[in-house]
Amino acid sequence: MTTPADTLLPAVLLRIPTVYRPQEDTRLLAAALAEASMPAGARVLDLCTGTGALALCAARLGAESVAAVDISRRACGCARLNARVHRLPVDAHRGGLEKALDLAPFDVVVSNPPYVPCGRATEGMRSRRWDAGPDGRFFMDPLCERGAELLRPGGFMLIVQSEFTGEDQTLRQLRAGGLKAAVVARSRIPFGPVLRRRASYLCDQGLCQSDCTSEELVVIRADKPSRPR
Ligand SMILES: C[S@@+](CC[C@H](N)C(=O)[O-])C[C@H]1O[C@@H](n2cnc3c(N)ncnc32)[C@H](O)[C@@H]1O
């Protein structure tokens, strides 16, 4: 079945092995971005871009320029190729949060970062796409703490995460950084292969019941006031 978000994301995306395949979290964030009424001519950051799916979506929604940042060389290569194929104003940059801060400020930031809790160290390139430390906040904590520095006054950020990654913690950290934060979208989806393998760990951590077979994805919006509060 085609959803409105499917029409926002390019139907054809080049993807090489180990680069994240856009999924439900990508689609939920794309839909939230479309709903958010991005200002015309916005300067946008897609942090943790993977194939560049959300960067391309932002460009299609009218962004003047989009910076697509990812730690993975392969992901940056894919994002660059996809931007060229679709002739959209997206520039790929290899790096993490520090690279994004170098490129700041932005009118709009979107991020679908790694957020899955995992009990052991991440295992190379494959798991780096989603694994985010014991509480799933390896990337989320610094992003929330420094999110305000990425934004221009009046700008906003949209982040997607799982219910297992601490929604309240994300809201608290963003607010502590001077942003106005709220949940703007939710979607419950069945566990995919990664969470099926991770279910007993989540259960041991008290994050879900032993019979749990689905997770709620959450999109959080954080706005930077036009004038300092
Ligand atoms: C869940 S995927 C999302 C990809 C894409 N935004 C999407 O929705 O289809 C997370 C991405 O974050 C990247 N990543 C992991 N750690 C990172 C870091 N420290 N800094 C920047 N990107 C990172 C991974 O390479 C991966 O492409």
Side-chain angles (χ1 to χ4, degrees), residues 20-23 25-26 46-51 53-54 69-72 75 95-97 112-114 128-129 139:
Y20 188 79
R21 185 192 302 277
Q23 299 182 26
D25 46 9
T26 317
D46 174 17
L47 183 53
C48 300
T49 195
T51 57
L54 289 161
V69 175
D70 201 290
I71 201 79
S72 150
L97 181 58
N112 177 10
R128 197 167 63 181
R129 290 175 289 177
F139 193 86

Side-chain angles (χ1 to χ4, degrees), residues 139-153:
F139 193 86
M140 199 64 78
D141 282 345
L143 174 59
C144 293
E145 279 157 17
R146 305 204 60 188
E149 294 172 55
L150 292 171
L151 291 169
R152 284 196 177 125

Side-chain angles (χ1 to χ4, degrees), residues 29 45-48 54 109-113 139 143 158-160:
L29 190 48
L45 166 69
D46 174 17
L47 183 53
C48 300
L54 289 161
V109 174
V110 288
S111 188
N112 177 10
F139 193 86
L143 174 59
L158 292 166
I159 311 171
V160 65

Side-chain angles (χ1 to χ4, degrees), residues 42-163:
R43 183 163 190 260
V44 177
L45 166 69
D46 174 17
L47 183 53
C48 300
T49 195
T51 57
L54 289 161
L56 269 59
C57 175
R60 285 173 137 198
L61 288 168
E64 189 171 294
S65 66
V66 186
V69 175
D70 201 290
I71 201 79
S72 150
R73 191 188 304 275
R74 287 175 173 224
C76 288
C78 274
R80 209 166 279 134
L81 267 176
N82 281 317
R84 200 167 297 164
V85 166
H86 291 276
R87 296 170 191 259
L88 288 168
V90 172
D91 287 320
H93 304 265
R94 185 162 180 232
L97 181 58
E98 291 298 329
K99 167 56 79 179
L101 288 163
D102 286 347
L103 299 167
F106 296 93
D107 301 297
V108 177
V109 174
V110 288
S111 188
N112 177 10
Y115 56 72
V116 178
C118 65
R120 46 178 167 50
T122 56
E123 294 164 347
M125 278 195 291
R126 284 181 64 80
S127 65
R128 197 167 63 181
R129 290 175 289 177
W130 49 73
D131 279 347
D135 58 1
R137 299 196 61 87
F138 177 76
F139 193 86
M140 199 64 78
D141 282 345
L143 174 59
C144 293
E145 279 157 17
R146 305 204 60 188
E149 294 172 55
L150 292 171
L151 291 169
R152 284 196 177 125
F156 68 88
M157 176 156 67
L158 292 166
I159 311 171
V160 65
Q161 65 168 78
S162 165
E163 65 175 311

